[in-house]
Amino acid sequence: MNKFYFKSIIDFIVLLILIILSFPIFLILTISLAISNKGTPFFFQFRPGQFGKIISIVKFKTMNDAKDESGELLPDSLRLTKVGRFIRKSSLDELPQLINVLKGDMNLVGPRPLLVEYLPLYNEHQKRRHEVKPGITGWAQVNGRNAISWQEKFDLDVWYVDHCSFGLDMKILWLTILKVFKREGINQAGQATVEKFNGHN
């Protein structure tokens, strides 16, 4: 049996368990963010999926839409709400992406889906991260997340593509739980979120 087919079956079983267990938290956070963000608890964005196919992912909206006098959005650090800061630190902003896994756009484990604007900037090695479906968590997330360099992230993503297995996925899911409780690697030093990729190795 193809290992990716087996992976999809395991993902679906674990997904159903996670949806049942997380529903009360999902409901509470949705209501809290609806109040905090004036009725908009979710954030939708196009991201590259497997083979670079564009998909729409959903996340909890942790930043408001505050703008400066010229109509430009304020820096991330100024738009991050109090509720949003807590949700991001606890990594709960990714919870709605269980819907993407249910749709088949994503897996529970895989390289994180990055911005569409990065696609033309990848070299051949970095492009290999798209050989598998993106995931809610991944090998790079449990090995530094946003606290490591872009090149380190890509190297870890490609390593996962070459070594993907049921055992590795279970290890990543367990390490993700530990990372969430320890709140490690959420942001880069001095950044509210993460510095954009500019294409340099």
Side-chain angles (χ1 to χ4, degrees):
M1 182 180 290
N2 183 284
K3 67 177 181 179
F4 294 113
Y5 178 76
F6 182 69
K7 174 181 172 68
S8 297
I9 294 176
I10 297 299
D11 270 6
F12 184 74
I13 294 172
V14 177
L15 173 65
L16 291 179
I17 296 172
L18 288 176
I19 289 176
I20 294 171
L21 293 177
S22 65
F23 182 74
I25 299 174
F26 185 92
L27 186 61
I28 292 171
L29 293 181
T30 299
I31 294 172
S32 298
L33 286 171
I35 295 171
S36 177
N37 295 327
K38 299 179 181 180
T40 54
F42 301 111
F43 171 69
F44 296 88
Q45 190 173 48
F46 291 118
R47 297 287 179 94
Q50 188 176 23
F51 308 126
K53 178 183 177 182
I54 306 303
I55 62 175
S56 176
I57 67 166
V58 56
K59 301 175 69 173
F60 278 129
K61 188 174 183 180
T62 56
M63 293 186 287
N64 59 36
D65 298 318
K67 299 179 180 179
D68 59 22
E69 295 178 354
S70 61
E72 297 293 327
L73 288 173
L74 293 174
D76 291 349
S77 59
L78 298 179
R79 295 191 294 118
L80 193 60
T81 64
K82 290 182 179 180
V83 176
R85 191 180 302 277
F86 164 76
I87 291 175
R88 183 164 292 192
K89 282 185 177 180
S90 56
S91 297
L92 291 172
D93 56 319
E94 313 290 354
L95 192 59
Q97 286 173 50
L98 291 175
I99 297 172
N100 287 106
V101 179
L102 189 62
K103 289 171 57 182
D105 292 334
M106 295 175 62
N107 286 327
L108 291 175
V109 178
R112 287 292 300 146
L114 302 176
L115 298 177
V116 174
E117 65 191 72
Y118 295 167
L119 283 175
L121 304 179
Y122 296 142
N123 59 35
E124 292 304 313
H125 173 73
Q126 294 162 350
K127 287 178 182 178
R128 293 200 57 218
R129 69 191 310 277
H130 295 301
E131 291 178 14
V132 298
K133 289 182 182 180
I136 294 178
T137 186
W139 190 233
Q141 278 58 53
V142 299
N143 283 282
R145 196 177 174 180
N146 292 332
I148 58 177
S149 70
W150 278 109
Q151 189 55 50
E152 288 173 309
K153 287 182 187 179
F154 293 135
D155 288 342
L156 290 167
D157 286 341
V158 174
W159 185 92
Y160 173 81
V161 170
D162 290 333
H163 297 84
C164 176
S165 68
F166 170 73
L168 180 59
D169 280 6
M170 293 301 101
K171 178 180 179 179
I172 291 172
L173 288 173
W174 172 246
L175 290 174
T176 297
I177 295 172
L178 296 181
K179 289 284 183 180
V180 167
F181 280 106
K182 291 181 179 180
R183 298 185 181 182
E184 293 179 345
I186 305 295
N187 303 320
Q188 287 184 328
Q191 301 283 337
T193 51
V194 62
E195 184 179 2
K196 283 193 172 185
F197 177 58
N198 58 21
H200 295 160
N201 293 332

